[in-house]
Amino acid sequence: GENVEQHPSTLSVQEGDSAVIKCTYSDSASNYFPWYKQELGKRPQLIIDIRSNVGEKKDQRIAVTLNKTAKHFSLHITETQPEDSAVYFCAASQGNNDMRFGAGTRLTVKP
Amino acid sequence: NAGVTQTPKFQVLKTGQSMTLQCAQDMNHNSMYWYRQDPGMGLRLIYYSASEGTTDKGEVPNGYNVSRLNKREFSLRLESAAPSQTSVYFCAIPLTSGTGLLNYGYTFGSGTRLTVV
């Protein structure tokens, strides 16, 4: 089955700096790659996703890139703000029923 | 988040006790999922149901049973709780895009924090 690895496990940045979180996947058949943000004590919420027919997708300060050949994808957050502090999870799937998640990255943005 | 309701929010069990976690959706989706979340391990799929009356094992099904008696509800049962089942449990359903199409993402319930002592 699919295996998703996520790095780093913790990341600390100064407010205004950029943050990058990287994930690799093992199953070349995976075609959907979402990112979830989970604030302390809350449920994970989808913040951006990308499909295998696209190399990059951007939504305001967040962007995701996908390299199918290398089987890795990354989340980029620019101009970080304290409210970006949370745990971020990547995931990979071929459809609805086989979603596999990374272990998570705890991002801390220092004011 | 409208769409997925989980109960209870918190529960403490003694080893060997049983309990059922309830999940209900009002989005009329065929698929429903149960995940557990443990520190440093992300979210792992326990069981899922692709349609009413069907269930399938996920990554970590041992020690759990599920029931999908109707389209709206999907319950997770621990028959004999063990300390290793201390975790946060999330129910999830597929997200629907603005066009009404499924986009493979999930919306999660608010979670159940279970402690087994």
Side-chain angles (χ1 to χ4, degrees), chain B residues 25-42:
Chain B
Q25 57 135 339
D26 59 8
M27 302 297 288
N28 204 37
H29 285 309
N30 286 320
S31 298
M32 298 183 75
Y33 311 89
W34 275 108
Y35 278 86
R36 61 177 288 173
Q37 182 177 27
D38 302 293
M41 302 189 75

Side-chain angles (χ1 to χ4, degrees), chain A residues 5-8 20-24 35 72-75 90 105:
Chain A
E5 295 192 357
Q6 183 172 346
H7 301 280
V20 181
I21 302 170
K22 299 181 179 181
C23 289
T24 61
W35 286 89
H72 67 70
F73 56 112
S74 300
L75 178 71
C90 63
T105 297

Side-chain angles (χ1 to χ4, degrees), chain A residues 100, chain B residues 33-36 38 43-49 55-67 74-82 84-85 89:
Chain A
R100 291 293 187 266
Chain B
Y33 311 89
W34 275 108
Y35 278 86
R36 61 177 288 173
D38 302 293
L43 293 131
R44 293 180 294 168
L45 182 65
I46 306 171
Y47 270 94
Y48 69 94
S49 170
T55 61
D56 284 286
K57 295 179 181 178
E59 297 175 76
V60 289
N62 291 346
Y64 305 95
N65 287 304
V66 290
S67 177
F74 187 35
S75 61
L76 178 71
R77 183 161 177 83
L78 287 71
E79 291 290 353
S80 179
S84 61
Q85 294 178 303
Y89 292 85

Side-chain angles (χ1 to χ4, degrees), chain B residues 5-117:
Chain B
T5 303
Q6 268 185 256
T7 55
K9 292 192 183 301
F10 301 94
Q11 184 71 49
V12 178
L13 289 178
K14 293 182 179 178
T15 298
Q17 287 185 318
S18 63
M19 78 162 293
T20 300
L21 283 67
Q22 305 286 356
C23 177
Q25 57 135 339
D26 59 8
M27 302 297 288
N28 204 37
H29 285 309
N30 286 320
S31 298
M32 298 183 75
Y33 311 89
W34 275 108
Y35 278 86
R36 61 177 288 173
Q37 182 177 27
D38 302 293
M41 302 189 75
L43 293 131
R44 293 180 294 168
L45 182 65
I46 306 171
Y47 270 94
Y48 69 94
S49 170
S51 62
E52 179 181 346
T54 69
T55 61
D56 284 286
K57 295 179 181 178
E59 297 175 76
V60 289
N62 291 346
Y64 305 95
N65 287 304
V66 290
S67 177
R68 183 85 183 274
L69 294 178
N70 55 61
K71 196 170 188 179
R72 185 172 176 273
E73 297 170 301
F74 187 35
S75 61
L76 178 71
R77 183 161 177 83
L78 287 71
E79 291 290 353
S80 179
S84 61
Q85 294 178 303
T86 293
S87 188
V88 180
Y89 292 85
F90 287 100
C91 178
I93 60 173
L95 267 173
T96 305
S97 70
T99 60
L101 298 176
L102 297 180
N103 76 349
Y104 292 171
Y106 293 159
T107 186
F108 288 90
S110 57
T112 297
R113 186 172 296 274
L114 175 66
T115 302
V116 183
V117 297

Side-chain angles (χ1 to χ4, degrees), chain A residues 31-32 36 38 42-46 49 51 89 94-103, chain B residues 1 31 33 35 37 40-43 45 48 59 90 94-95 103-106 108-110:
Chain A
N31 57 14
Y32 176 70
Y36 291 83
Q38 186 178 30
K42 302 288 182 65
R43 73 195 81 194
Q45 293 196 299
L46 181 71
D49 56 14
R51 297 185 185 278
F89 294 97
Q94 299 177 40
N96 271 117
N97 299 327
D98 62 349
M99 188 84 68
R100 291 293 187 266
F101 287 81
Chain B
N1 261 16
S31 298
Y33 311 89
Y35 278 86
Q37 182 177 27
M41 302 189 75
L43 293 131
L45 182 65
Y48 69 94
E59 297 175 76
F90 287 100
L95 267 173
N103 76 349
Y104 292 171
Y106 293 159
F108 288 90
S110 57

Side-chain angles (χ1 to χ4, degrees), chain A:
Chain A
E2 176 65 273
N3 182 49
V4 178
E5 295 192 357
Q6 183 172 346
H7 301 280
S9 57
T10 61
L11 179 60
S12 181
V13 300
Q14 287 295 134
E15 182 177 359
D17 287 350
S18 295
V20 181
I21 302 170
K22 299 181 179 181
C23 289
T24 61
Y25 62 99
S26 60
D27 191 343
S28 57
S30 290
N31 57 14
Y32 176 70
F33 307 92
W35 286 89
Y36 291 83
K37 176 183 180 181
Q38 186 178 30
E39 296 175 349
L40 189 62
K42 302 288 182 65
R43 73 195 81 194
Q45 293 196 299
L46 181 71
I47 57 171
I48 195 167
D49 56 14
I50 192 168
R51 297 185 185 278
S52 57
N53 59 346
V54 175
E56 183 174 1
K57 184 177 179 180
K58 192 172 182 180
D59 183 2
Q60 298 183 353
R61 295 186 298 107
I62 60 173
V64 58
T65 58
L66 171 65
N67 183 326
K68 285 168 45 182
T69 302
K71 288 189 282 189
H72 67 70
F73 56 112
S74 300
L75 178 71
H76 304 253
I77 306 174
T78 59
E79 301 172 23
T80 53
Q81 302 167 3
E83 51 265 38
D84 294 329
S85 295
V87 178
Y88 292 82
F89 294 97
C90 63
S93 77
Q94 299 177 40
N96 271 117
N97 299 327
D98 62 349
M99 188 84 68
R100 291 293 187 266
F101 287 81
T105 297
R106 182 174 300 279
L107 173 64
T108 302
V109 180
K110 299 177 183 177

